[in-house]
């Protein structure tokens, strides 16, 4: 289309008028936009922008890959630690069972020893009590004998004092002296 021209169309219902589109050097707005884009793409290719973008993307890929490797390493380390913890848990459970079994065995042995000690203690105490009773009996018998002898001596001395006079004493003394010469 030429510059400044207008197109008139006749319609069956009336006349329609079209708007005028501005142009420069024969290129309308859409053409200038397309040309600008071609220039921008050309500058981008001339400045090697796709290579820089590729480098940046490669850098990001390497960074993400190293992060994934680190995450895999950390996961493997965590799994190893978990396995070790499970092994320690199993070992400690076995150790705990062994400790409980040992403690039960020691408790049973202590119970048997305590029962034996108790039996021995009861026997010793019983023997001591019997010895004390026997000693008390001997002491009581000796005391009763001493009292009986004392009472007999007092009774004999009072009977002798009442019934014997000097004449009876003389005959008793003579018999005693005569009996001294004989052997028993």
């Amino acid at each position: 289309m030429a510059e400044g021209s207008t197109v008139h169309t006749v319609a069956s219902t009336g006349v329609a008028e079209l708007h005028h589109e501005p142009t420069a050097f024969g290129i309308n707005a859409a053409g200038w936009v397309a040309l600008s884009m071609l220039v921008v793409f050309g500058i981008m290719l001339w400045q090697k922008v796709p290579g820089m973008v590729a480098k940046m993307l490669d850098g990001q890929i390497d960074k993400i890959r190293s992060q994934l490797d680190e995450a895999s390493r950390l996961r493997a380390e965590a799994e190893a630690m978990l396995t070790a913890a499970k092994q320690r848990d199993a070992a400690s459970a076995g150790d705990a069972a062994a400790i409980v079994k040992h403690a039960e065995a020691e408790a049973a042995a202590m119970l048997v020893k305590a029962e034996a000690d108790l039996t021995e203690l009861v026997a010793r105490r019983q023997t001591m009590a019997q010895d004390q009773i026997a000693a008390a009996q001997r002491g009581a018998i000796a005391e009763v004998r001493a009292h009986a002898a004392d009472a007999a001596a007092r009774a004999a001395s009072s009977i002798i004092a009442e019934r014997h006079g000097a004449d009876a004493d003389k005959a008793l003394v003579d018999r005693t002296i005569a009996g001294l010469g004989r052997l028993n």
Side-chain angles (χ1 to χ4, degrees), residues 26-52:
I27 303 173
N28 64 4
W32 282 108
V33 168
L35 183 62
S36 299
M37 287 303 293
L38 284 175
V39 170
V40 167
F41 284 134
I43 292 172
M44 286 173 62
L45 288 174
W46 176 57
Q47 292 294 324
K48 300 179 184 173
V49 171
M52 291 190 309

Side-chain angles (χ1 to χ4, degrees), residues 94-169:
D95 290 346
I99 288 170
V100 167
K101 186 182 268 186
H102 180 69
E104 288 173 348
E106 281 186 0
M110 290 173 84
L111 183 60
V112 168
K113 185 178 183 318
E115 287 175 353
D117 290 348
L118 179 64
T119 303
E120 182 183 331
L121 179 66
V122 167
R124 265 190 285 141
R125 295 254 174 137
Q126 188 175 14
T127 303
M128 286 173 49
Q130 288 173 349
D131 290 346
Q132 286 178 349
I133 290 170
Q137 284 176 343
R138 287 191 301 270
I141 289 171
E143 188 177 331
V144 167
R145 283 183 182 166
H147 283 303
D150 187 43
R154 274 186 276 140
S157 80
S158 70
I159 290 173
I160 291 173
E162 286 176 13
R163 292 189 184 172
H164 286 254
D167 294 332
D169 284 341

Side-chain angles (χ1 to χ4, degrees), residues 12-78:
S12 61
T13 58
V15 177
E17 190 174 323
L18 294 176
H19 293 287
H20 173 55
E21 288 189 28
T23 60
F25 303 111
I27 303 173
N28 64 4
W32 282 108
V33 168
L35 183 62
S36 299
M37 287 303 293
L38 284 175
V39 170
V40 167
F41 284 134
I43 292 172
M44 286 173 62
L45 288 174
W46 176 57
Q47 292 294 324
K48 300 179 184 173
V49 171
M52 291 190 309
V53 170
K55 273 188 191 176
M56 287 186 346
L57 289 176
D58 287 343
Q60 285 294 329
I61 288 170
D62 290 342
K63 185 177 177 183
I64 291 170
R65 186 172 288 132
S66 68
Q67 288 175 349
L68 286 174
D69 290 343
E70 177 71 12
S72 296
R73 186 186 63 77
L74 289 174
R75 180 183 178 132
E77 186 178 316

